[in-house]
Amino acid sequence: MTTKKLSLFILLIFFSEGFSQTLSLKEAVTTGIANYGTIRAKSKYADAAKETVKEVRREYLPNVNLSAQQDYGTINGQNGPLYGFGGLGVASSGIPLEKQNWNAAFGALYLVNVNWDFFSFGKMKQKINLSKADADRYQKDLDQEIFQHKIKISAAYLNLLASQRLLISQKKNLDRATVFKNTATVRVKNGLLAGVDSTLASAEVSRAKITLNQVKDLVKEQNNKLVALMGIAIQDFVLDSTFVSQIPKSMLFPVTSNGNLNPVLQYYKSKLDFSSQQLRLLKKEYYPTFSLFGVYQARASGFNQDYAANQNSFTPNYLDGIDPSRQNYLFGIGATWNLATISRVNKKVSAQKLISEGLQEEYNEMDQQLKTQSNAADAKMEYAMENYAEAPKQVQAAQQAYLQKTSLYKNGLTNLLDVTQTLYTLNRAETDRDIIYTNVWQSLLMKAAATGDFGLFINEF
């Protein structure tokens, strides 16, 4: 074998293996969880909420403000009241002289301010608790999104697998219809059958082709749904079908699980907990806040201390004007309590109580839905097991009937209508079998979704 032929042979093996690679259910779930946009977004939101908890914790630290300013201007003063509305007042200080003058010098102010709300009747602690509840709500939202997405991917996988098995059954049905048509055509040419038999056999082949194309369309639709849930580029999957004809081990024993641990129900509970923490924080607004504060100040001025008597006693020198010559400090304790807040917070508390009651109703409704779903899953599992036992019997009986009728038809002992009827029966039996086998696993998946225990399903693989 030449080098060129050898290289071509290796490439053919590589590509054939690449295209025939089987996608397992666990791989589909893992890929979908890693790539799905909604999950990735909610993961970012959960991380952001955790960072917010750290930020709220640091709000308890005292405020330390450093301030420095250097100015140049006049210091004409005037007796009279003044309110610095909107922070627009000028803080020039000086004696009220007989007339305006334009003497100007440099001045400076250096300031350190410390302010600490050291006691607020647990308000700060409650803010931290609220931020924790918010972070927990985002995390629970992420958990339930991941859980539900696992269920969606698994359901899409089973639906695609069922459609692919139906495709195999319909191909078999087309092959049978084609063989039957060829047999009828030969017998018609030999004058053993009426020409209408050949025509009807051709119609049956056309019907089988139409059904096959419909199933192909279904396969493509289910394939693309799985692609979308996995968050990957469009491709056609070859699925692992080895497990379909088997009974899940967990269905052989009673399935018990604590429905209260369902991630979906936990998310609703986290919303209720967050509302409860909001209510506690609002109630803290009734109380005052106690603060410690301290100020250190240094001032500088180019105007001398005898400027009031001698308006020439100043210097326009920059360095002299910004060199501090006077210093002050003070510290103290204070309390703030806006009494009008009591009446405002009262209505906020009432509103938040109603919100909590509404969230409780949502929780109760979801709890009831999950219990109903769990009960329905139990019934579905029971019926699926019974149908699982009957499906092979139905297929076997239909195959025997089809073989008998085709043999009789070849010998001229029965008519085309009887053969066609057994062909329908066999096709329906194979279709029922494919659906029933998949329904066994679908029922287990439904039970896992209702109980919130995805391991109940995925641990079978």
Side-chain angles (χ1 to χ4, degrees):
M1 182 181 291
T2 64
T3 304
K4 184 176 181 180
K5 290 183 178 180
L6 179 61
S7 300
L8 180 61
F9 178 72
I10 294 174
L11 285 173
L12 288 174
I13 293 177
F14 174 78
F15 282 113
S16 63
E17 288 181 353
F19 283 114
S20 61
Q21 185 176 2
T22 301
L23 176 69
S24 69
L25 179 57
K26 284 187 175 181
E27 290 172 344
V29 171
T30 301
T31 303
I33 297 303
N35 295 334
Y36 198 63
T38 301
I39 291 177
R40 296 174 69 175
K42 290 190 175 183
S43 178
K44 298 295 184 183
Y45 301 151
D47 291 340
K50 292 175 184 177
E51 291 298 312
T52 302
V53 175
K54 298 176 184 178
E55 185 271 331
V56 173
R57 287 181 184 274
R58 295 179 183 181
E59 286 186 8
Y60 185 64
L61 298 175
N63 299 317
V64 179
N65 299 310
L66 300 178
S67 174
Q69 58 174 294
Q70 297 175 353
D71 313 287
Y72 181 77
T74 61
I75 59 166
N76 291 291
Q78 185 178 34
N79 294 322
L82 173 66
Y83 173 56
F85 183 75
L88 302 179
V90 178
S92 297
S93 60
I95 59 173
L97 299 174
E98 180 181 358
K99 60 182 180 179
Q100 170 74 29
N101 71 62
W102 297 105
N103 296 335
F106 286 96
L109 174 66
Y110 308 98
L111 181 70
V112 177
N113 175 275
V114 178
N115 190 343
W116 182 29
D117 295 338
F118 71 95
F119 183 71
S120 57
F121 295 91
K123 190 184 301 181
M124 194 63 237
K125 182 179 180 181
Q126 189 55 41
K127 284 185 178 180
I128 296 174
N129 291 338
L130 179 62
S131 65
K132 287 181 179 179
D134 192 33
D136 183 66
R137 181 181 57 164
Y138 276 104
Q139 183 62 47
K140 289 297 192 297
D141 187 22
L142 174 61
D143 293 342
Q144 67 91 21
E145 186 69 35
I146 292 175
F147 174 74
Q148 292 199 60
H149 200 64
K150 288 178 179 179
I151 299 297
K152 291 176 183 178
I153 292 175
S154 301
Y157 189 96
L158 293 177
N159 288 337
L160 176 57
L161 186 59
S163 65
Q164 289 181 346
R165 290 179 64 84
L166 286 175
L167 183 62
I168 296 173
S169 297
Q170 292 306 323
K171 286 180 178 178
K172 290 180 180 179
N173 186 58
L174 176 59
D175 292 341
R176 287 191 293 261
T178 301
V179 170
F180 177 67
K181 172 195 170 185
N182 295 336
T183 300
T185 300
V186 171
R187 294 178 65 81
V188 168
K189 287 182 179 179
N190 294 332
L192 301 177
L193 293 175
V196 68
D197 281 21
S198 176
T199 302
L200 291 176
S202 297
E204 184 61 28
V205 171
S206 296
R207 187 197 68 81
K209 288 181 178 179
I210 292 173
T211 303
L212 179 62
N213 287 332
Q214 291 174 339
V215 175
K216 286 181 178 179
D217 181 63
L218 176 62
V219 170
K220 188 61 178 176
E221 179 183 346
Q222 296 299 331
N223 185 88
N224 288 349
K225 285 182 179 180
L226 182 57
V227 166
L229 290 171
M230 291 176 64
I232 59 177
I234 297 178
Q235 56 185 283
D236 293 327
F237 296 118
V238 177
L239 303 185
D240 177 18
S241 60
T242 56
F243 67 91
V244 176
S245 58
Q246 303 173 0
I247 298 176
K249 298 181 182 62
S250 56
M251 292 186 67
L252 301 177
F253 306 97
V255 178
T256 58
S257 182
N258 186 357
N260 291 330
L261 298 180
N262 190 304
V264 177
L265 199 61
Q266 287 295 305
Y267 170 60
Y268 278 85
K269 185 177 183 300
S270 70
K271 292 170 64 177
L272 181 59
D273 292 341
F274 178 74
S275 179
S276 298
Q277 294 295 342
Q278 282 184 312
L279 180 60
R280 292 190 180 98
L281 179 59
L282 286 174
K283 290 181 178 179
K284 298 294 183 181
E285 298 294 330
Y286 287 124
Y287 304 106
T289 298
F290 291 89
S291 304
L292 289 173
F293 57 87
V295 179
Y296 172 78
Q297 174 185 281
R299 293 193 63 178
S301 175
F303 293 91
N304 298 325
Q305 65 274 12
D306 59 345
Y307 180 73
N310 180 12
Q311 278 75 56
N312 293 319
S313 183
F314 70 94
T315 176
N317 184 275
Y318 170 70
L319 294 178
D320 291 337
I322 65 170
D323 184 23
S325 58
R326 296 292 186 271
Q327 301 179 44
N328 293 292
Y329 72 89
L330 64 85
F331 58 88
I333 185 171
T336 56
W337 191 8
N338 188 346
L339 297 179
T341 302
I342 298 176
S343 61
R344 299 191 190 105
V345 171
N346 189 47
K347 289 303 177 183
K348 288 183 180 180
V349 169
S350 299
Q352 194 62 45
K353 285 181 179 179
L354 293 173
I355 292 175
S356 295
E357 291 174 3
L359 291 173
Q360 182 66 56
E361 293 298 331
E362 289 184 6
Y363 177 87
N364 294 339
E365 180 184 1
M366 179 54 62
D367 184 42
Q368 182 61 37
Q369 288 182 8
L370 291 174
K371 289 178 180 178
T372 302
Q373 183 179 343
S374 179
N375 180 264
D378 290 335
K380 187 177 179 66
M381 291 169 65
E382 180 182 354
Y383 302 146
M385 290 294 292
E386 293 178 0
N387 292 338
Y388 178 88
E390 295 297 328
K393 300 177 184 178
Q394 182 186 13
V395 173
Q396 184 178 7
Q399 288 174 340
Q400 292 176 352
Y402 175 72
L403 291 175
Q404 290 174 357
K405 291 298 181 181
T406 52
S407 298
L408 292 174
Y409 181 77
K410 291 177 181 178
N411 294 292
L413 300 177
T414 188
N415 55 39
L416 180 65
L417 181 61
D418 289 341
V419 177
T420 303
Q421 185 62 41
T422 57
L423 183 63
Y424 289 158
T425 302
L426 177 56
N427 184 37
R428 187 181 68 245
E430 290 177 340
T431 300
D432 288 345
R433 177 199 58 197
D434 294 336
I435 295 175
I436 287 170
Y437 281 1
T438 307
N439 280 348
V440 172
W441 292 91
Q442 290 279 18
S443 65
L444 180 61
L445 180 62
M446 182 177 177
K447 183 65 176 180
T451 58
D453 184 7
F454 186 66
L456 183 68
F457 174 80
I458 200 64
N459 289 341
E460 296 287 340
F461 300 90

